């Protein structure tokens, strides 16, 4: 029977399926980057071994399920066309066809084999990522999730920073993977930088771990992928993959104490005389708080409020004056400072490179 003799409802159904497939393909094509981007967040542009393993597995699963979909869709269209009801068949029972043992075995065994293959492929990737040995020269980082920011500690270097993680590039001549111990200070969080590694949860009282070996330099963006409260969507993170010399320079600069500038001593007094020092730490000063980010090298970061705003004087002033304007629901209190004290504190903050 030709397609022209099909019922209008059947034609509409097939047309809708074709439209859905077309727009789905267009969405995937548009979402995949045309070239590697140092600021992307696509799982189809992996830049480290764990991310590449996950991307390859995703493509394999997508291809397998795509083939299944095409086969089932072709059989469906064939059945609709071949066995479409005709006017002369009205009121007549169709011929009764009894089951075929061969067909029943096929549609039982083939799906089982497909599931087994997908299971083995997935288990292999999980084992390779989770049970990877930590080499002696690996960079160790403790990542702690807070509402709603990230704390990063480098035990070997004595560095504490926030929201922006710096790691060295790991090339074939000098493999330098970064191993992260994941902790949570309050509720569930999830560390996810799509181009570098799969997402891993940070669960209170249950340490987790993950690793990455970035193979190209650049800035990679990530996100907390587990709903952790009202500002979950603005709990962003940035990973700067530096060249070996650049990373060593960054480590040396972060190990230095806070800059002491006599020109902003008034701002430092305001900082130390208010609740700021109860939550934040600045090395070399009495400020030793642990509830908020370490501010020793605040101005070396490109953003504030866990990536919610660019790190400049205007945003810094607004953040101290009224944090809810930038990040409603954050645990940073409004300090209610006078304009003079606010300007003095901001000037002091700007010296913390």
């Amino acid at each position: 029977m030709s397609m022209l003799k099909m019922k209008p409802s059947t034609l509409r159904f097939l047309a809708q399926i074709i439209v859905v497939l077309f727009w789905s393909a267009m969405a995937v094509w548009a979402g995949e980057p045309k070239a590697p981007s140092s600021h992307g967040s696509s799982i189809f542009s992996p830049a480290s071994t764990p991310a590449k393993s996950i991307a390859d597995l995703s493509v394999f699963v997508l291809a397998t399920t795509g083939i299944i979909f095409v086969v089932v869709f072709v059989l469906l269209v064939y059945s609709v066309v071949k066995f479409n009801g005709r006017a002369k068949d009205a009121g007549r029972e169709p011929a009764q066809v009894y089951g075929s043992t061969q067909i029943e075995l096929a549609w039982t065994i083939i799906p089982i084999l497909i599931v087994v293959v997908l299971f083995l492929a997935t288990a292999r990737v999980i084992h390779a990522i989770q049970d990877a040995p930590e080499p002696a020269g690996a960079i160790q980082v403790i990542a702690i999730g807070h509402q709603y920011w990230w704390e990063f500690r480098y035990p070997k270097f004595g560095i504490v920073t926030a929201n922006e993680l710096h790691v060295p590039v790991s090339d074939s001549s000098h493999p330098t993977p970064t191993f992260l111990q994941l902790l949570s200070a309050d509720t569930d969080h999830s560390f996810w930088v799509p181009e570098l590694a799969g997402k891993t949860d940070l669960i209170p009282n249950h340490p987790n771990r993950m690793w990455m070996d970035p193979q190209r330099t650049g800035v990679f963006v990530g996100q907390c992928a587990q709903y952790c409260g009202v500002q979950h969507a603005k709990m962003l993170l940035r990973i700067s993959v530096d060249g070996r010399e650049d990373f060593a320079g960054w480590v040396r600069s972060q190990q230095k104490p806070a800059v002491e500038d006599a020109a902003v001593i008034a701002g430092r007094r305001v900082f130390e005389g208010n609740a700021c020092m109860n939550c934040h730490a600045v090395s070399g000063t009495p400020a030793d708080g642990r509830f908020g980010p370490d501010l020793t090298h605040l101005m070396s970061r490109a953003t504030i409020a866990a990536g919610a705003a660019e790190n400049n004087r205007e945003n810094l002033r607004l953040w101290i004056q009224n944090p809810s304007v930038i990040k409603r629901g954050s645990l940073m209190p409004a300090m209610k400072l006078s304009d003079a004290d606010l300007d003095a504190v901001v000037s002091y903050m700007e010296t913390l490179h």
Side-chain angles (χ1 to χ4, degrees), residues 182-205:
L182 305 177
L183 309 174
S184 173
D186 34 53
T187 186
D188 290 355
H189 302 280
S190 189
F191 192 99
W192 189 33
V193 184
E195 293 187 356
L196 297 182
K199 56 186 175 183
T200 307
D201 289 345
L202 295 80
I203 303 171
N205 302 317

Side-chain angles (χ1 to χ4, degrees), residues 313-323 325-326 342:
R313 182 177 180 85
E314 293 75 18
N315 288 336
L316 193 57
R317 193 178 193 280
L318 180 60
W319 177 246
I320 297 172
Q321 182 182 31
N322 190 3
V325 174
I326 294 177
L342 182 59

Side-chain angles (χ1 to χ4, degrees), residues 271-272 276-278 280-290 294 348:
F271 178 85
E272 295 176 356
C276 307
M277 63 181 296
N278 294 333
H280 298 283
V282 178
S283 67
T285 75
D288 193 30
R290 290 290 180 266
D294 189 295
Y348 171 59

Side-chain angles (χ1 to χ4, degrees), residues 132-135 138-141 177-181 209-212:
E134 181 177 339
I139 303 297
Q140 296 178 349
V141 178
T178 299
F179 280 73
L180 292 89
Q181 183 181 16
R209 70 191 288 269
M210 67 180 297
W211 66 280
M212 60 188 72

Side-chain angles (χ1 to χ4, degrees), residues 36-319:
S37 170
S38 61
H39 295 273
S41 58
S42 170
I43 65 170
F44 295 106
S45 182
S48 72
T49 300
K52 188 176 187 306
S53 299
I54 294 172
D56 291 343
L57 177 63
S58 301
V59 172
F60 174 69
V61 173
L62 182 61
T64 303
T65 54
I67 292 172
I68 296 171
F69 176 82
V70 170
V71 171
V72 173
F73 182 75
V74 169
L75 292 175
L76 175 62
V77 173
Y78 171 79
S79 299
V80 169
V81 175
K82 177 72 175 176
F83 304 105
N84 188 33
R86 289 167 284 205
K88 65 179 182 179
D89 296 328
R92 191 176 69 178
E93 185 175 295
Q96 301 301 301
V97 179
Y98 293 96
S100 167
T101 302
Q102 291 83 359
I103 293 177
E104 291 178 357
L105 285 174
W107 70 41
T108 301
I109 294 174
I110 292 176
I112 290 175
L113 292 176
I114 292 173
V115 170
V116 169
V117 169
L118 294 178
F119 170 78
L120 293 176
T122 304
R124 173 179 169 275
V125 171
I126 292 175
H127 171 71
I129 293 176
Q130 292 191 349
D131 298 331
E134 181 177 339
I139 303 297
Q140 296 178 349
V141 178
I142 299 174
I144 306 173
H146 298 260
Q147 289 178 313
Y148 304 93
W149 59 283
W150 302 94
E151 179 180 359
F152 298 120
R153 294 179 171 269
Y154 298 73
K156 289 184 178 180
F157 303 130
I159 295 172
V160 180
T161 185
N163 301 318
E164 299 180 8
L165 178 66
H166 284 254
V167 300
V169 69
S170 181
D171 53 46
S172 56
S173 58
H174 296 90
T176 313
T178 299
F179 280 73
L180 292 89
Q181 183 181 16
L182 305 177
L183 309 174
S184 173
D186 34 53
T187 186
D188 290 355
H189 302 280
S190 189
F191 192 99
W192 189 33
V193 184
E195 293 187 356
L196 297 182
K199 56 186 175 183
T200 307
D201 289 345
L202 295 80
I203 303 171
N205 302 317
H206 183 80
N208 239 335
R209 70 191 288 269
M210 67 180 297
W211 66 280
M212 60 188 72
D213 58 343
Q215 291 152 13
R216 66 173 186 261
T217 59
V219 178
F220 299 86
V221 294
Q223 170 76 49
C224 176
Q226 173 68 37
Y227 181 73
C228 56
V230 294
Q231 280 304 321
H232 154 73
K234 289 188 177 180
M235 189 170 168
L236 310 176
L237 60 94
R238 294 161 62 91
I239 296 188
S240 294
V241 179
D242 304 325
R244 297 176 62 82
E245 294 183 1
D246 292 338
F247 178 74
W250 178 83
V251 169
R252 288 192 296 270
S253 67
Q254 294 291 309
Q255 289 174 332
K256 296 178 181 178
V259 176
E260 294 189 15
D261 190 340
V264 293
I265 190 65
R268 175 174 169 175
R269 291 197 182 106
V270 173
F271 178 85
E272 295 176 356
N274 286 274
C276 307
M277 63 181 296
N278 294 333
C279 294
H280 298 283
V282 178
S283 67
T285 75
D288 193 30
R290 290 290 180 266
F291 292 102
D294 189 295
L295 303 180
T296 305
H297 300 285
L298 170 65
M299 299 311 294
S300 67
R301 303 166 198 161
T303 63
I304 59 174
E310 184 181 352
N311 189 5
N312 55 43
R313 182 177 180 85
E314 293 75 18
N315 288 336
L316 193 57
R317 193 178 193 280
L318 180 60
W319 177 246

